[in-house]
Amino acid sequence: MIEAIGRALLFDIDGTLANTDPLHLEAFNQVLGPRGHVFDHARFSRELQGFANVSIGDRFLPDETPERRAAILAEKEAIFRDLVVGQIEPLPGLMALLDRADAAGVPMVAVTNAPRLNAELLLSGLGITARFKAIVIGDELPHGKPHPLPYQEGLRFVGASAAASVAFEDSRSGVQSAAAAGIPTIGIRTSLSHADLVGAGAIASASAFDDPDLLVRLAAAMAW
């Protein structure tokens, strides 16, 4: 198999590979609710979804020290990891798409603002860790999403060009990050509408990875 030079598929993890957003919402409410911040789905999608914990702590825990903010949000992540055990299911069509990319020699990268423990847990739970050439963690970079740096790093890892690649995202901040890096981005409608995703910069949206229009678009973009 000859690797497809210049092309890549880049995936967010939460809400994109698996619909984990309801569990994140529950975990945030357990931790931030007693501190005066209660979220419904709409508020979660506007103010939490896709953002790095540092920025969430800055916004919702301004009176805490940076160390205390980190500890509170680490508690949230531990609650999420407990909740997600046994609940990790791939979005429809994901495994077939990964198979097709592998067969075509198109490298894949995971790009997330989630902590590394979460990212590794979800990829392992889906049984797809080995599929990805790299896992880019926004919190480990100078800038996370919506800054383009995480996706720029993803491209750099596999030597891919932005214009020849495709990214998949479910959040506004994620779409903004990938689009700002110059990558044509498909919004996955696990939480947001087509209008929301396109408004953030996606070129199209899909309900899942078995969406017929998505498959046609990918066949053309990846030349497979």
Side-chain angles (χ1 to χ4, degrees):
M1 181 179 67
I2 299 174
E3 189 166 281
I5 303 299
R7 294 179 283 160
L9 296 179
L10 301 99
F11 297 82
D12 175 50
I13 297 179
D14 281 296
T16 300
L17 300 179
N19 187 12
T20 52
D21 287 341
L23 301 179
H24 279 290
L25 172 59
E26 182 176 344
F28 272 119
N29 277 331
Q30 284 192 34
V31 170
L32 295 182
R35 294 174 169 88
H37 303 291
V38 177
F39 299 87
D40 59 11
H41 173 81
R43 190 182 180 200
F44 169 83
S45 69
R46 288 194 310 271
E47 301 179 15
L48 297 175
Q49 183 193 28
F51 287 97
N53 277 347
V54 170
S55 64
I56 292 171
D58 289 345
R59 179 169 184 180
F60 295 105
L61 301 167
D63 297 329
E64 303 285 355
T65 65
E67 294 77 14
R68 183 60 184 149
R69 291 176 199 170
I72 291 167
L73 290 167
E75 179 188 353
K76 175 263 163 183
E77 299 302 349
I79 291 170
F80 168 76
R81 289 191 292 271
D82 287 342
L83 291 172
V84 83
V85 172
Q87 304 296 317
I88 307 173
E89 295 290 339
L91 254 62
L94 173 64
M95 297 307 185
L97 174 58
L98 301 186
D99 286 344
R100 193 164 188 178
D102 277 339
V106 176
M108 292 173 284
V109 179
V111 182
T112 180
N113 269 351
R116 184 168 291 276
L117 276 176
N118 291 26
E120 292 176 347
L121 173 66
L122 289 172
L123 294 177
S124 176
L126 291 168
I128 59 176
T129 304
R131 304 272 199 156
F132 293 90
K133 299 291 188 183
I135 305 172
V136 179
I137 306 295
D139 276 350
E140 297 175 0
L141 300 173
H143 304 286
K145 304 174 190 179
H147 194 280
L149 183 59
Y151 276 98
Q152 291 168 341
E153 284 292 288
L155 293 171
R156 184 182 65 80
F157 270 118
V158 293
S161 78
S165 300
V166 176
F168 301 93
E169 273 284 356
D170 71 308
S171 69
R172 292 179 182 88
S173 65
V175 170
Q176 289 164 356
S177 173
I183 306 170
T185 304
I186 306 295
I188 301 298
R189 300 191 302 269
T190 47
S191 294
L192 298 177
S193 69
H194 172 82
D196 288 332
L197 292 161
V198 171
I203 61 169
S205 76
S207 58
F209 295 102
D210 58 356
D211 185 302
D213 291 338
L214 169 62
L215 297 176
V216 170
R217 185 181 292 273
L218 281 178
M222 297 290 110
W224 61 32

